[in-house]
Amino acid sequence: MIADAPTLGAVPDDHGTAFAVFSRGDLIELCLLDEDGNESRVAMTARAGGADGVWTTFVAGVQPGQRYGFRAHGPWDPSRGQRFDPSHLLVDPYALAVDGAGRSIVVDRSFDWQGVTAPHVPWSETVVYEAHVRGLTRLHPAVPEHLRGTYAGLAHPDTIGHLRDLGVTTVELLPVHQFVSEPALTARGAANFWGYSSLAFFAPHGPYASSGQGGGQVAEFKEMVRELHRGGLEVVLDVVYNHTAEGGAEGPTLSLRGLDNEAYYRLRHDGSYDDTTGCGNSLDLRHPRALALVTDSLRYWVQEMHIDGFRFDLAPTLARGSSGFDHASAFLAVNAQDPILSRVKLIAEPWDLGPGGYQLGGFPSPWAEWNDRFRDTVRSAWLGGHGHGRGGLRDLAFRLTGSSDVFEPSGRGPLGSVNFVTAHDGFTLRDLVTYDHKHNEDNGEHNRDGTDNNHSWNCGVEGETDDRSIRMLRHRMMRNLLTTLLMSAGVPMLTAGDETGRTQGGNNNAYCLDDETTWVDWDHSPWQRDLYDWTRALLTLRRDTAVLRTGRFFVGRPAAGAAAAASSDIPKDLTWYGVDGAEMSSNTWFEHDLQVLGMALSPGQTDGSLLVWLNTGPDAVTVMLPSTPGRSSYDVLLDTRRERPDPGPSHEAGASVELAGHSVLVLAPRT
């Protein structure tokens, strides 16, 4: 399928290529570059007499592979927001490919999808796996060396086989729009690894292509998506539309700034940049052309690249009006009504650095949101009390059951919450239980970068240790965190490598390290293989247990409905238990030292019900299994004190069971 060509950009046919670009400058020149970088300039024509700001030209004989750029003539008056300067060769904002020298490339858009279609995974079945194209396969021994760290490497059968075997459904890729490193990084010999510095919103990042940067990166990206889809896996892109690589006033002029600074960026009255991102500039989606650029890009990635959804970095910036975050902004309205965009997964990072920028719970349906309250609450419950489990079980109860306090007011259910314990930004799962403090010295910023608010616990020793007891505790804590994540209502997200205990040596902000620190290691010791099996077992249990994937909040009443409510044999959809096997009272919730919690989930019958016990404290406790109608016994499905995810024994209802310190016990009731 080839989508309708955008109005703007470079569109080739058998006779040549049509070029179109938006700018309110006085003259726009198309610059065609030969292999040596020599330019041939063509003066473009203002379409519609210049009324719409679009400049066009057609050049006969120009075919895919041609490098090009634009030079924009006009006034230089920064105090009025005008920054035209024809000395800069500018990247086409609608370029479908860009080479390493910052030159736009004419691209052949044809591609054979071989009849492969998207898997269309429902939100209720979605398990997100956040990964970096380069970092995921750079060390993968089964991937041919020349394909490691590329789109083709991610599409390799062994990579896809790992993801399928693990049980995830949706790969969320860190930024793949063409990006460049910030001048401050290049000045010290470093580079932007994560990619949150976009240059071209339509172009897949060229250095991730094994086929080079001559335009073949587009076909290779499509091949990656096709093969992931063939394997039943969705592809979601982490997109950075909130700012660009041009940075602040002293930053480089690469594209939008030189073409029409006033149209694309948020400016103050004095022409300076209104920065709500911390990156020097912010796109202004109040302007029709900036809004069109973003939404045209999104539609292109869905229609032509077959992408299944997007995670929006610093999303509140995209919905900002003149006085802050606007729930009725044009951007949110377009996504809600657009027949293409409203049908794909839309995930917000619901905060930016501007006033009123924290908007968790503030995005409307059909949006989902990264839930940092889940992350912080789960970490605090298990680690924040330095192993004593005093991190707030009342708040944890909300997170376990879908964060109704956050998402119910906006009319959404648990599936509005993307739950995570770790992400690319912060400690890995292993480092979370290995370090009390960040260790970011290799970033070159004297360990000043990265957050100090990690809610982590080193289990008694900072860094790696040969002490077996500490290592065993750390392994158990990782199992506890993964089990809490995957036994919670909402949409779970795993970070690549956490399933096998990847470490970054305590670096919680490795954005500029393209080395073994950030590459996923595929050489696993026995305990790492055990952790992988644990993660896989948890995902299998989640897949097979519908009550964990509910789209509605629990109400504490029989799940079968009002007709069944009169029957005492129908259990509540949600019941909280104390160690005595009795339902929790309101007073119990406010006990300062509450460390043990029992959560019973029921779909209305025995099959598919679960009882989850959590002991966040260090000491073993004895808990009584509830004696309720229809429950004669309980089978132990998982016990995190065990290194292996092997099922345990059965226990009679009413029996006393030891719950190890720092552990989770998952049981299935039987009639």
Side-chain angles (χ1 to χ4, degrees):
M1 177 183 71
I2 298 180
D4 293 335
T7 301
L8 305 178
V11 182
D13 62 21
D14 292 341
H15 306 289
T17 299
F19 297 88
V21 65
F22 167 77
S23 175
R24 292 173 298 183
D26 297 333
L27 171 65
I28 306 300
E29 293 178 301
L30 168 68
C31 304
L32 302 175
L33 298 103
D34 64 19
E35 293 298 324
D36 296 322
N38 300 312
E39 290 185 19
S40 298
R41 300 186 185 182
V42 178
M44 303 182 75
T45 301
R47 189 178 70 180
D52 65 355
V54 175
W55 298 76
T56 65
T57 191
F58 181 87
V59 184
V62 168
Q63 291 297 303
Q66 173 68 55
R67 267 77 166 176
Y68 71 98
F70 299 113
R71 295 189 184 274
H73 300 255
W76 173 266
D77 189 351
S79 66
R80 297 177 59 187
Q82 298 172 325
R83 293 178 175 269
F84 297 101
D85 183 349
S87 69
H88 296 288
L89 181 67
L90 305 174
V91 169
D92 180 0
Y94 281 71
L96 304 186
V98 177
D99 72 10
R103 299 161 176 169
S104 310
I105 305 172
V106 178
V107 171
D108 176 5
R109 297 168 64 176
S110 62
F111 184 76
D112 182 8
W113 288 96
Q114 300 177 357
V116 176
T117 58
H120 299 297
V121 180
W123 273 117
S124 61
E125 298 177 13
T126 299
V127 178
V128 179
Y129 186 85
E130 189 197 37
H132 188 285
V133 170
R134 180 167 169 80
L136 184 62
T137 65
R138 186 65 183 82
L139 297 175
H140 200 309
V143 175
E145 188 169 358
H146 70 286
L147 299 182
R148 294 175 190 170
T150 69
Y151 302 124
L154 205 156
H156 189 272
D158 281 86
T159 310
I160 294 175
H162 172 82
L163 299 172
R164 284 175 53 85
D165 181 69
L166 180 61
V168 299
T169 69
T170 304
V171 180
E172 180 179 300
L173 298 177
L174 267 68
V176 298
H177 289 168
Q178 185 78 25
F179 64 87
V180 296
S181 296
E182 296 84 342
L185 282 177
T186 57
R188 64 174 192 257
N192 188 316
F193 178 70
W194 285 349
Y196 292 91
S197 186
S198 298
L199 172 62
F201 295 145
F202 290 76
H205 191 55
Y208 292 165
S210 64
S211 54
Q213 302 186 56
Q217 59 261 49
V218 178
E220 184 172 328
F221 185 92
K222 291 178 178 178
E223 290 167 0
M224 176 194 72
V225 175
R226 183 186 66 199
E227 297 313 305
L228 286 165
H229 281 176
R230 196 192 304 275
L233 296 162
E234 291 185 310
V235 183
V236 168
L237 301 185
D238 190 338
V239 288
V240 188
Y241 293 113
N242 57 79
H243 75 282
T244 75
E246 293 183 306
E250 303 304 317
T253 297
L254 304 171
S255 182
L256 303 182
R257 173 177 288 152
L259 285 167
D260 203 313
N261 189 59
E262 288 180 281
Y264 288 115
Y265 293 118
R266 295 181 66 94
L267 303 176
R268 300 188 181 94
H269 294 302
D270 62 358
S272 62
Y273 290 99
D274 181 12
D275 178 19
T276 62
T277 68
C279 300
N281 65 58
S282 303
L283 255 65
D284 189 357
L285 269 63
R286 296 171 298 180
H287 194 284
R289 281 297 175 184
L291 179 63
L293 173 65
V294 171
T295 53
D296 286 349
S297 168
L298 291 170
R299 293 187 195 98
Y300 170 81
W301 286 98
V302 174
Q303 291 181 286
E304 185 151 341
M305 308 296 262
H306 290 201
I307 291 302
D308 303 290
F310 306 92
R311 179 267 190 188
F312 293 82
D313 181 64
L314 303 181
T317 289
L318 306 176
R320 281 189 173 272
S322 299
S323 56
F325 182 79
D326 182 3
H327 295 84
S329 69
F331 174 71
L332 294 178
V334 166
N335 282 279
Q337 62 80 37
D338 187 274
I340 302 299
L341 302 182
S342 62
R343 297 179 182 177
V344 301
K345 287 182 164 72
L346 302 174
I347 305 170
E349 181 186 44
W351 50 80
D352 66 12
L353 300 185
Y358 188 73
Q359 289 294 326
L360 180 65
F363 282 75
S365 180
W367 286 79
E369 302 175 34
W370 270 27
N371 188 349
D372 66 323
R373 283 190 63 181
F374 182 96
R375 175 198 66 197
D376 293 346
T377 299
V378 171
R379 290 185 180 190
S380 293
W382 286 108
L383 310 172
H386 294 290
H388 295 289
R390 298 189 177 95
L393 290 193
R394 280 178 294 153
D395 200 16
L396 180 62
F398 275 113
R399 306 310 139 228
L400 286 165
T401 54
S403 296
S404 59
D405 55 332
V406 175
F407 296 100
E408 195 168 31
S410 61
R412 289 173 293 167
L415 301 178
S417 176
V418 176
N419 299 331
F420 64 104
V421 176
T422 66
H424 68 277
D425 184 3
F427 279 148
T428 66
L429 182 68
R430 178 174 173 179
D431 289 353
L432 196 60
V433 298
T434 307
Y435 297 92
D436 277 357
H437 310 286
K438 66 187 181 186
H439 296 268
N440 298 356
E441 289 81 6
D442 288 347
N443 296 355
E445 300 181 37
H446 307 289
N447 206 33
R448 291 193 296 262
D449 62 302
T451 183
D452 292 309
N453 188 28
N454 295 293
H455 303 286
S456 63
W457 179 42
N458 64 20
C459 296
V461 173
E462 186 74 357
E464 299 296 333
T465 179
D466 292 330
D467 188 313
R468 176 177 170 77
S469 63
I470 291 178
R471 294 203 314 269
M472 293 302 100
L473 176 58
R474 288 173 177 175
H475 299 168
R476 190 191 313 169
M477 282 303 199
M478 284 187 268
R479 295 192 293 271
N480 291 337
L481 292 166
L482 286 170
T483 304
T484 305
L485 171 65
L486 293 171
M487 294 298 103
S488 296
V491 179
M493 184 183 82
L494 298 169
T495 303
D498 275 353
E499 71 271 26
T500 51
R502 185 178 76 88
T503 180
Q504 291 185 166
N507 193 316
N508 72 355
N509 189 40
Y511 74 102
C512 59
L513 301 180
D514 184 6
D515 56 26
E516 287 83 355
T517 305
T518 51
W519 301 342
V520 173
D521 183 9
W522 295 88
D523 182 14
H524 303 142
S525 60
W527 77 264
Q528 291 176 297
R529 292 192 289 272
D530 287 343
L531 185 63
Y532 174 84
D533 289 341
W534 253 99
T535 310
R536 181 174 58 178
L538 286 165
L539 287 171
T540 299
L541 177 59
R542 184 179 185 87
R543 182 196 64 204
D544 295 341
T545 309
V547 74
L548 293 173
R549 298 182 280 102
T550 179
R552 298 182 179 181
F553 290 116
F554 300 103
V555 293
R557 296 192 298 271
S567 172
S568 61
D569 292 337
I570 304 297
K572 299 176 183 179
D573 62 355
L574 170 66
T575 308
W576 299 106
Y577 290 106
V579 295
D580 58 358
E583 287 192 43
M584 297 268 287
S585 68
S586 57
N587 291 335
T588 307
W589 283 110
F590 288 91
E591 291 180 1
H592 175 68
D593 291 332
L594 184 63
Q595 298 176 329
V596 179
L597 187 63
M599 177 181 71
L601 304 176
S602 173
Q605 63 277 340
T606 301
D607 291 345
S609 297
L610 286 180
L611 174 62
V612 181
W613 284 102
L614 305 96
N615 181 7
T616 62
D619 301 320
V621 298
T622 298
V623 299
M624 182 174 291
L625 301 181
S627 294
T628 57
R631 299 326 194 225
S632 63
S633 64
Y634 294 84
D635 296 337
V636 174
L637 303 181
L638 295 168
D639 185 347
T640 64
R641 66 178 165 179
R642 301 175 182 269
E643 289 285 323
R644 296 283 308 162
D646 301 321
S650 295
H651 300 278
E652 296 297 316
S656 295
V657 175
E658 184 182 81
L659 185 61
H662 300 310
S663 73
V664 182
L665 187 64
V666 182
L667 308 100
R670 300 289 181 238
T671 55

